[in-house]
Amino acid sequence: MAEVVIVPTADAAGALVAAEIARLVRARPDAVLGLATGSTPLPVYAALREALTGVDVSHVRGFALDEYVGLDPRHPQSYRSVIRREVVEPLGLDPDRIHVPDGRLDGIEGAGDAYERAIAAAGGVDLQLLGIGSDGHIGFNEPGSSFASRTRVKTLTRQTRADNARFFDAPDDVPRHCITQGLGTILDARHLVLLAFGAGKAAAVAGAVEGAVTASLPASAIQLHPHVTVVVDEAAAAELRYADYYRETWDAKPAWQGL
Ligand code: F6R
């Protein structure tokens, strides 16, 4: 079962997860981080600025979960731009060690396999940050995605495009296709850390953690992984049946265990 940590605010979640990432990087200076985009991981990236103060990050490696297909990589909402702006520059990471799937149309047929090879060559991902879509996607693995899937091109659902319209000038500007790590790729990471905030994520979180394991709710794939931490605020935890048990477990957890 995933460890579920219910925190009062998104900032508290950010501090908790940033501390874990800093611990990892101190222990392993060339740690491989799995990076998510969207709104959810921003408190983690913000907290990392302080948590990584004085830590040598020059060898840290990273792989983003996904990218829009056909969007100019220089577009401010391409995930390449977002990762550079929100993660690489503020944390002082080496841009050459931080990878984002190549969503350019030219060569897109081989981009998924190339990304898989790059992750394998890095020795796999140590800690994978995940947000969750209101339709239960992780990465951009929309409902119906195979649990064995690898990095490939997918079509975004109408709901995901509507959810992400806030980042673009007009809803129609949201690309229809993306290239995303597969559920099989994500499950290969050594530690999954899924974050969710707000009432809009409550149903998806409950389904992912406590519902049936089903491709109809791709995030339920986390139940197949031996080391998962789910960090949610009260609103996102609202539909969890065993919330009291998660709170008791967390309150009694010895500090030495980490996440
Ligand atoms: C982003 C990603 C997506 C988002 C999800 C939630 O790299 O893979 O799964 O995590 O769409 O988005 P936000 O955080 O904006 O609610």
Side-chain angles (χ1 to χ4, degrees):
M1 177 186 251
E3 172 171 56
V4 181
V5 187
I6 302 169
V7 291
T9 62
D11 285 345
L16 184 71
V17 175
E20 180 66 14
I21 293 173
R23 193 197 57 74
L24 171 66
V25 174
R26 271 195 212 95
R28 186 172 172 201
D30 65 346
V32 181
L33 304 179
L35 303 166
T37 47
S39 306
T40 305
L42 295 179
V44 177
Y45 300 141
L48 272 173
R49 295 180 203 188
E50 194 181 320
L52 288 174
T53 304
V55 180
D56 177 10
V57 296
S58 61
H59 293 91
V60 169
R61 295 169 293 169
F63 288 89
L65 276 170
D66 39 23
E67 176 60 292
Y68 293 112
V69 166
L71 192 65
D72 189 321
R74 292 164 301 182
H75 188 288
Q77 292 308 326
S78 78
Y79 285 168
R80 182 168 301 275
S81 298
V82 172
I83 290 286
R84 196 189 57 240
R85 199 167 57 234
E86 305 289 353
V87 186
V88 174
E89 289 175 355
L91 301 182
L93 304 184
D94 176 353
D96 292 340
R97 292 174 196 261
I98 308 300
H99 307 270
V100 180
D102 189 345
R104 287 173 298 185
L105 289 173
D106 188 20
I108 192 70
E109 324 76 57
D113 287 349
Y115 206 60
E116 289 286 328
R117 284 196 297 275
I119 295 173
V125 170
D126 290 309
L127 185 151
Q128 177 66 59
L129 289 173
L130 297 168
I132 183 169
S134 56
D135 65 359
H137 69 230
I138 49 174
F140 274 141
N141 294 281
E142 299 286 26
S145 294
S146 162
F147 282 12
S149 51
R150 312 301 307 186
T151 306
R152 73 230 183 277
V153 173
K154 289 287 288 180
T155 303
L156 296 171
T157 60
R158 233 175 263 170
Q159 185 174 339
T160 298
R161 292 184 69 229
D163 286 349
N164 286 7
R166 68 189 192 280
F167 295 115
F168 291 84
D169 292 338
D172 276 350
D173 291 351
V174 185
R176 287 179 187 279
H177 296 100
C178 62
I179 175 166
T180 179
Q181 288 190 31
L183 293 174
T185 318
I186 291 169
L187 289 174
D188 282 348
R190 286 179 274 280
H191 182 192
L192 304 181
V193 179
L194 187 149
L195 298 121
F197 309 121
K201 302 291 176 74
V205 166
V209 176
E210 297 175 342
V213 175
T214 168
S216 294
L217 199 113
S220 66
I222 65 170
Q223 294 180 43
L224 302 173
H225 193 286
H227 188 187
V228 183
T229 310
V230 175
V231 187
V232 286
D233 65 4
E234 293 285 347
E239 294 186 33
L240 286 169
R241 188 170 163 195
Y242 302 114
D244 288 344
Y245 173 64
Y246 306 139
R247 287 195 183 91
E248 284 162 27
T249 306
W250 178 250
D251 288 346
K253 185 171 173 163
W256 58 264
Q257 274 186 340
L259 286 183

